[in-house]
Amino acid sequence: MKGKKLTYIVSDIDKSLHFEWITPYLKTEFQLSFILIGRRDSALEDFLKSHDVPVFPISYSRKADLVHVWLRIFKILFKYRPDIVHTHLWKANLLGLPAAWLAGISKRIYTRHHATIHYKEFPSGLKWDRLNNRMASQIIAISKNVEHLLIECDKAERKKVRLLHHGFAFSYFQDVTADRINYLYEKYKISRYHHPVVGVISRFTEWKGVQFIIPAFEKLRISFPLAHLILANAHGNYEDAIDRLLTKLPENSFTKIGFENDLAALYKLFDIFVHAPVDPDSEAFGQTYVEPLIVGVPCIFTLSGIAKEFIEHEQNALVVDFEDADQIYVCMKRILHESDLRETLAENGKRSVTGFTMEKYLKGLKDLYLE
């Protein structure tokens, strides 16, 4: 007989490696089910069904539908009576936690995936953050940055907050066949003569700092005229500004990718990876601080989110100041010209992320569920 009933409520997700990685383990330990808020027939819904996990998709098309969504969640929880509800992402938190509370579920957990966006861009969201903090019985902070924001800024109850870093399936990033890599070269029409390839995986929002990477790359092409820039996850509310910067580059010198399913193979295309948020607090975690290091790609970072906890300049990455395109350019040239530095960053980078294992994450999750 499996253990307690565990229901995940997740909103506005199509495909998620995280839930694909944790589902096989959780379904052996708990009576696992999912409520998915968003469009039907998502990749996550298909994955869960293929693994025989009960899934309740609830679609909506406008804000007015969210009342119906909340009632549907409440009815499912009231009928199914899970012992634990764990919500992820904005609408899931806002709708799922009150529904779970009203349904009499005592263990109501949410993972805080955002950092300062409501303090800096959308202050109307602060009241909802505080409501979520009150409704939850426990809150998972995915980094010390988020832990600080929850306790010192949101004034969440300290005893509710549990620091638990993301875990990663290392084999997913390391076991990549040549055929998968070659397929991406062909899919995106990138020549192997393009060198170096500079990789960026970041939404087009102002605080992600992509606008400082593009001018650095523009300068790099003076010395490396065959350099190629790959911008993945290339969409967001700052796209017009990014596109204006890209007009300064030759059309064949960059590739925009909206979404790539084979993330592990994509990292294998990069000679350099850059992630440059504009301040130390905007990034809640930043999975792209960890993923390229698992692969062994030399990286250039600004220190935000999880990077503040383990990235060291010239040890496992090169660190630049915020909003400084010139420093990004200089560091790109250093990586390309200094072979010893490249090797040091690649090897130390791999070693520095060995603590972000899926096993460690799942143990922390199970301990929290069974408290």
Side-chain angles (χ1 to χ4, degrees), residues 86-118:
H86 189 164
T87 69
H88 286 263
L89 301 174
W90 180 241
K91 291 186 180 71
N93 299 338
L94 200 58
L95 301 174
L97 291 170
W101 175 80
L102 193 61
I105 297 162
S106 59
K107 204 164 192 68
R108 304 176 304 277
I109 301 168
Y110 91 90
T111 296
R112 171 74 168 256
H113 289 285
H114 63 276
T116 58
I117 190 168
H118 291 155

Side-chain angles (χ1 to χ4, degrees), residues 10 18 20 46 50 86-87 94 123 125 128 133 148 157 180 194 222 260 263 273 286 307 313 321 345 350 355 366:
V10 183
H18 173 80
E20 290 180 13
D46 292 341
S50 71
H86 189 164
T87 69
L94 200 58
W128 303 118
N133 296 340
H148 172 81
E157 293 182 54
R180 288 164 56 192
H194 287 145
I222 297 172
E260 172 50 50
L263 189 61
F273 184 82
H313 181 53
D321 290 336
L345 297 181
K350 289 178 182 178
K366 183 178 178 180

Side-chain angles (χ1 to χ4, degrees), residues 13-14 36-46 49 55-60 68 72:
I13 284 288
D14 180 23
L36 300 182
I37 305 168
R39 72 172 182 83
R40 289 180 176 271
D41 302 318
S42 66
L44 179 55
E45 180 184 345
D46 292 341
K49 288 178 177 177
V55 56
F56 305 93
I58 308 175
S59 60
Y60 71 94
H68 163 75
R72 178 79 175 120

